[in-house]
Amino acid sequence: MNQKHGYKMLALSLVAGALLAGCGSGGDTIESTSPSTLGGSVIKGPVNDANLTLRDMNGTALVSVLTSNGKFTLPQITLQSPYYILESMGGTYLDEATETNVTIPQNQSLKTLLSKDEIEQMISTDTPAAITPETTIYAGLVEALLTQNPNKSISEAMAEAETIIDKTLIEETSPLSAVPGDKFLKQGDLTSPFPKDQTEAFARNRAISFSYMTRDMGLSPEEVFTLIEKITENLKDGQWDNEDLNNDGVDDNATEAFGLARTKLFQDTTTKLQNGELSEGQREELRLMGFDVDRFNNNMADAQAALQAEVSQYLSSDTLPTLRRLPELTDEDGNLTDAAATYTLTAQKDVNVTIETPEGSWITPMWRYNNQALPVIIRTNRGNAMTLNFQNNLDANSTIHWHGFKIPADMDGGPDTPVEAGNSKSYTFTMDQPAAPLWFHPHPDMQTGKQVYMGLAGVFLLEDAISTQLENSNALPSGDKDVVLLVQDRRFDGNTTDQVRNLKYMDMEMDMDGMLGDTVLVNGSVVPKLAVSNTMYRFRLYNVSNARTYKFALNDGSPFKVIATDGGLLDTPTEVTSITLGAAERVEIVIDFANYAPGDKVMLVSQPFNGDMMSMMGGMNNSGSGMSGGNASGMNNNGSGMNGSSGTSMGNMDGMQANGTGLSIMRFDINSTETETVTLYSSLPSGAAIKNRLSTIDVTNPTERQFVMSMGGMGGMSNGGNMNQGGTMNQMTFVINGKSFAPDRVDEFIQANATEIWSIKNMSPMAHPFHAHAIQYQILSRNGIPASGTDLGWKDTFLVQPGETVKVIGKFEAVNQGDYMYHCHILEHEDAGMMGYFRVGDTGQLGPQ
Ligand code: C2O
Ligand code: CU
Ligand code: CU
């Protein structure tokens, strides 16, 4: 070191380039410097040709240089002041979110503030300075705090600014929650393709997130600088106060917007990883941040190939069981044609169910209604007055919740109206909504997941004048060609040769994230076959799994038509080659087997898809190594081979297959020819409610509500992504708007008959199916992109991907007064508290007990 009267000689080599508008994708590593020089990086995408100036706190410029590829080297100077501002003005960079070249407006800068001590320490350790959007906010905050309170020392202001940033822009925005390395960073070469540690990886990732945030707010890339200034100004008082950041007339929450941007970036990056599109440096960055990168060495193509191999085995197999049709209950009121219907549903345990599979069969004791081996169907007409007598013969509280029904709150069967063991309740209401594939299931407090998993769920097919007319005029397949397919994944103990196999529920630590089984049941059978003729069939496809998402498709890629979503028929049948269904979502599809000849076979599969980032975290890895120490019993060998081989490349373990694993669902055997009598409708008759977009019906200033879904307690992400550091998953929390379910708290108050817009945002690392009771929504947009295709149907449950915002509109009908639930329909999340009450109308009496 060159020392002179206590002042250190300094050569700053700053790397400018990646921190100004997004994240530093490209960029070179810092050139080797002599031990007496300081290196640095400017990240907004490595910034080129910026004017980099070192000045003291009086604003006196000491030296200026140009940046190149995000880097710069300052000539040696003598440090005479205790604090310095390092500021990068102008220049160009490649914006990460939009992949456009951006010229930084001349009056805009990125900067940082360093003490002489810090500079000396950086020189002695040969550490470069980092200039990022965050350090820019930091330097601006320090200046603002000093202006606010001139008595404050600079070092106090620096500590305060750092705390503000750590809290509002880092801790509260982390989709991974509480990772030690995710913290404010002033030093490091953020233009290097290989971050040196977790803190550097996160800092660069956050720098890129500013680019995403800018894009997602509808701003142009260069407007990031104005955004940075606004955020700085807003945070002066130590907290975020909502403010209109993008001049759209609506106040924004920067913490939330930045959190969503970070989530979206993670999700995009993990998708690229699974597609094999990341550089070694980017993979290392993800690895450092805690993702199990190596598990995804096998890419999507391998997963596809594995599924195809499994499918070809099943296509030629002659041991597939025959699809069972679900039993339909009969109206008990003695009059099948009046506008009233009565049914009894008795819930009971230990109903022995024979599970048929291609490898033989076994018996599993399940919980069922009416002693039936399979879930039952109730079919009724719009306008009917229903009496549904529920008898609870379980030894725990239960309810029947009518999922997707517009009915009064006291008949809704939520956790606030439990029916105790041995007791009964009569649910009475009138069906007044369009024909739809509805369903029902227990909804007791904290036991919903278990009771549904054990086998309690039923199908409720509502018909109306329109659906009946379409069937009668041969515009819809009906009768034998109208088939309910109830899809559920389960986990069994023992192995395929055992006579009795019990269901296993929540026996692995990761089941808290959502119960996934390794065996898919379709109407109670494993990979069943259905004989069909070469005509059109209507399948009512129900995802009644606790947590799994399916991407249904035909194995040969043939298109099919989606004709209905959760709440009713689509105005226009929509042709697709696959349809993704989250837990509790339903569609009706029409498959036309006309292009097949007798003897042909085609399979319904769930295609492999990019799992969410959750499935890539250390603790979720399926090799078993990431599980908390020694807890391997739950995943010990229990009969693999059952429709499981396709899982190998996307991650499977005995007893469980990750979300996104390719799966064989069932087979269609084309065994006869028949003259087609059906011409599928192309547009619903006038009068169908779905023809009206609620947003175009005169609604003046609908109330808008925000729901942010997030997860916490994943502290195990430290240590480079390995969760086996002692059960951190146990503290996992699932919240909406920061709140966990409380039986005595109502979160939202809604006027009767109101039409409202709800924005559901997912700031967590996994996809969540959002559901609200008593309403059918129309989706307006996803991440600002207007709804189209199957999103144009009525929805009571819809998947929200990490980083996604889904905007929906819905009308709370007059009949819907009282307290209802909104929640994630991953039942383990719901049971863990990812749920809340909303109250419709000013009823006073109804509500949480
Ligand atoms: Cu299927 Cu609370 O819902
Ligand atoms: Cu529901
Ligand atoms: Cu969830």
Side-chain angles (χ1 to χ4, degrees), residues 513 709 711 734 766-769 824-826 829-830 834:
D513 298 332
M709 303 192 282
M711 292 162 61
F734 300 93
M766 64 189 298
H768 302 274
C824 172
H825 219 291
I826 290 178
H829 295 186
E830 179 211 309
M834 203 171 197

Side-chain angles (χ1 to χ4, degrees), residues 401 403 439 441 443 584 771 773 821 823 825 830:
H401 165 59
H403 181 121
W439 68 295
H441 61 82
H443 212 314
H771 169 57
H773 290 194
M821 331 298 307
H823 59 87
H825 219 291
E830 179 211 309

Side-chain angles (χ1 to χ4, degrees), residues 679-758:
T679 308
L680 188 64
Y681 77 93
S682 56
S683 172
L684 290 182
S686 61
I690 193 64
K691 283 181 170 297
N692 297 313
R693 298 306 291 169
L694 287 179
S695 50
T696 63
I697 295 174
D698 188 24
V699 199
T700 33
N701 298 321
T703 301
E704 291 206 35
R705 289 175 207 271
Q706 312 259 323
F707 297 83
V708 180
M709 303 192 282
S710 57
M711 292 162 61
M714 297 159 64
M717 288 293 293
S718 49
N719 308 318
N722 180 332
M723 285 212 189
N724 30 5
Q725 310 297 319
T728 46
M729 299 284 282
N730 287 327
Q731 289 116 45
M732 186 78 78
T733 58
F734 300 93
V735 294
I736 300 177
N737 288 342
K739 290 174 285 193
S740 187
F741 178 67
D744 54 359
R745 187 193 67 232
V746 177
D747 296 309
E748 310 291 333
F749 294 85
I750 296 165
Q751 286 181 4
N753 274 315
T755 296
E756 295 204 349
I757 291 175
W758 287 18

